[in-house]
Amino acid sequence: MTTDTRTGGRARTPAPRRGLLRLLGPAFVAAVAYVDPGNVAANLTAGAGYGYLLLWVLVAANAMAVLVQYLSAKLSVVSGRTMPELLRERLGTPARLAYWGQAELVAVATDLAEVIGGAVALNLLFGTPLLVGGLITGAASLLLLTLHNRVGVRWFEAAVVALLLVVVAGFVSGVVLAPPDPGEAAAGLVPRFAGPETVLLAASMLGATVMPHAIYLHSAMARDHHGAVEAASTRRVLRATRVDVAAALVVAGVVNISMLLLAASALRGVEGTDTLEGAHAAVLGSLGGGAALLFAIGLLASGLASTSVGAYAGSVIMQGLLRVDVPLLVRRLVTLVPALVCLAVGVDPTRALVVSQVVLSFGIPFALVPLVRLTGDRSLMGEHVNRRGTRVAAAAAVTLVVALNAALLHLTLLG
């Protein structure tokens, strides 16, 4: 047994040789964060209101997400620690508490979107009151988290991936039934805006796609999935990680783009499509009951899977930054209560979803900048430190996020 300073003194033992499929999984769990109800609200609102105009935002955000999620997983595979743990070691107490505060706000915004989405889906499927639906969504996520704690990470991954497949079926089927216009879709790949509202939607779509909590989560999932990795095995695991991330985010990207294409082709100009309920009614009227049922089922699976993943990310952040192990039920309630309050007081669910994604967009730089710096630290990453091309791409991603948020602030708050 040897001691590796990269793991804070913990022994790292050789990982058994495993087939490629056994090395896959963490990225698919993280990818659930990219197809949550906030994505549904933002993408449908953008497509129904502005057609294919903002398709380029989804393509750019998904490309950015591939880079970000790979760096997150690489960080933990090489160092043996999660990103929050590494930040705790490098930040003083005031900075660490401030950083945790913004991360906690991001976790609340994340859960707001996911619980509200699950509640709306239950209302569409069964007529369940929104508040009751929020409670059911929270309870279901608690059961999934219990599965992770008691049965193990592999079963948790399997359950989440199964829900992800339901989400894929629920939303991609709509595009099959209502194919988009190829010429207009191609025109949507040209970057442009059409007023302040489209900037708000773009920031919402970016926040819903490159989600801050997924960055923290993926570093923990990769560590839990792969366990201790011997230096000689690191390259092999990183190769598998690249495949894992690319495959998972292709799936997430297809779902997101399908949402916008569906709204642009079948819901554009239809009155009331600025809400999830209205979009469901429009799908029902345009494509029939089967498509509407798949839409609602996909939304429900999205809410159940993503709220479980979000709550797990919250515990990773708190444990890593503060070294505080909070009981599962308490951790679940911390971020669940604000969502339930919104449902109880009658806040418009879809608007709350879109605004929550804007909050997430503002949280992205706080996760992305440290990630880029940590993976660019040769003393931590050794031979796996980011190369020049990766550093340039990461800097471009950070610049895009900051610029979009600055434009959003100017146009919607000061303009």
Side-chain angles (χ1 to χ4, degrees):
M1 180 179 296
T2 59
T3 299
D4 192 325
T5 56
R6 296 179 302 174
T7 62
R10 290 179 303 165
R12 293 167 71 87
T13 55
R17 293 189 61 82
R18 293 168 286 182
L20 177 62
L21 289 178
R22 291 283 292 168
L23 293 172
L24 305 182
F28 283 86
V29 175
V32 167
Y34 293 81
V35 291
D36 77 346
N39 293 85
V40 181
N43 297 335
L44 291 181
T45 301
Y50 299 95
Y52 304 95
L53 178 72
L54 297 177
L55 179 60
W56 67 272
V57 176
L58 288 180
V59 174
N62 208 69
M64 189 188 308
V66 172
L67 172 62
V68 168
Q69 294 306 138
Y70 173 67
L71 293 181
S72 175
K74 182 175 82 165
L75 179 64
S76 67
V77 169
V78 175
S79 71
R81 286 164 286 178
T82 69
M83 181 175 163
E85 289 171 344
L86 290 166
L87 288 174
R88 183 189 67 225
E89 297 171 4
R90 287 159 172 75
L91 295 176
T93 299
R96 187 170 67 250
L97 290 175
Y99 191 94
W100 169 76
Q102 66 81 28
E104 200 63 35
L105 178 62
V106 164
V108 170
T110 299
D111 225 29
L112 182 69
E114 294 156 352
V115 173
I116 287 177
V120 170
L122 287 169
N123 178 262
L124 294 175
L125 287 168
F126 308 111
T128 308
L130 289 178
L131 181 58
V132 175
L135 288 169
I136 293 173
T137 302
S141 69
L142 187 61
L143 290 176
L144 278 174
L145 290 169
T146 301
L147 180 70
H148 175 277
N149 286 356
R150 296 193 176 182
V151 183
V153 66
R154 297 305 178 103
W155 285 100
F156 177 73
E157 288 176 359
V160 171
V161 170
L163 288 171
L164 176 61
L165 293 177
V166 176
V167 175
V168 173
F171 292 109
V172 175
S173 60
V175 176
V176 175
L177 295 172
D181 181 280
E184 291 191 32
L189 298 175
V190 180
R192 64 195 190 280
F193 296 107
E197 183 64 21
T198 60
V199 179
L200 173 66
L201 281 172
S204 179
M205 293 159 71
L206 180 64
T209 304
V210 187
M211 299 189 76
H213 78 284
I215 298 174
Y216 307 115
L217 170 73
H218 199 180
S219 68
M221 291 300 303
R223 181 199 61 183
D224 294 345
H225 184 96
H226 298 298
V229 181
E230 189 183 48
S233 303
T234 301
R235 286 188 178 277
R236 181 168 179 268
V237 173
L238 289 178
R239 284 196 297 270
T241 297
R242 286 192 285 271
V243 174
D244 192 29
V245 170
L249 290 178
V250 164
V251 171
V254 167
V255 174
N256 277 314
I257 290 172
S258 295
M259 294 176 193
L260 188 143
L261 295 179
L262 171 64
S265 62
L267 309 182
R268 189 175 184 183
V270 179
E271 187 175 350
T273 51
D274 56 345
T275 68
L276 290 174
E277 297 90 340
H280 176 264
V283 170
L284 177 63
S286 301
L287 303 178
L293 178 62
L294 288 172
F295 177 95
I297 292 173
L299 180 61
L300 177 60
S302 169
L304 293 177
S306 56
T307 193
S308 306
V309 169
Y312 180 53
S315 67
V316 167
I317 293 168
M318 181 172 285
Q319 198 282 329
L321 285 171
L322 304 183
R323 271 189 182 163
V324 175
D325 286 317
V326 178
L328 188 61
L329 180 59
V330 175
R331 174 68 249 175
R332 178 78 281 240
L333 290 175
V334 166
T335 52
L336 179 62
V337 168
L340 295 179
V341 169
C342 286
L343 291 173
V345 301
V347 174
D348 176 62
T350 304
R351 189 63 181 176
L353 285 170
V354 173
V355 172
S356 74
Q357 303 312 295
V358 175
V359 173
L360 295 180
S361 183
F362 279 100
I364 294 171
F366 291 98
L368 193 54
V369 172
L371 175 65
V372 173
R373 293 193 64 179
L374 288 169
T375 52
D377 183 350
R378 185 171 294 277
S379 65
L380 176 68
M381 302 297 292
E383 64 176 306
H384 303 291
V385 67
N386 290 343
R387 296 182 179 179
R388 181 183 297 275
T390 303
R391 292 197 299 270
V392 170
V398 173
T399 301
L400 175 63
V401 172
V402 173
L404 184 58
N405 286 339
L408 172 66
L409 182 65
H410 175 74
L411 291 174
T412 63
L413 300 181
L414 302 180

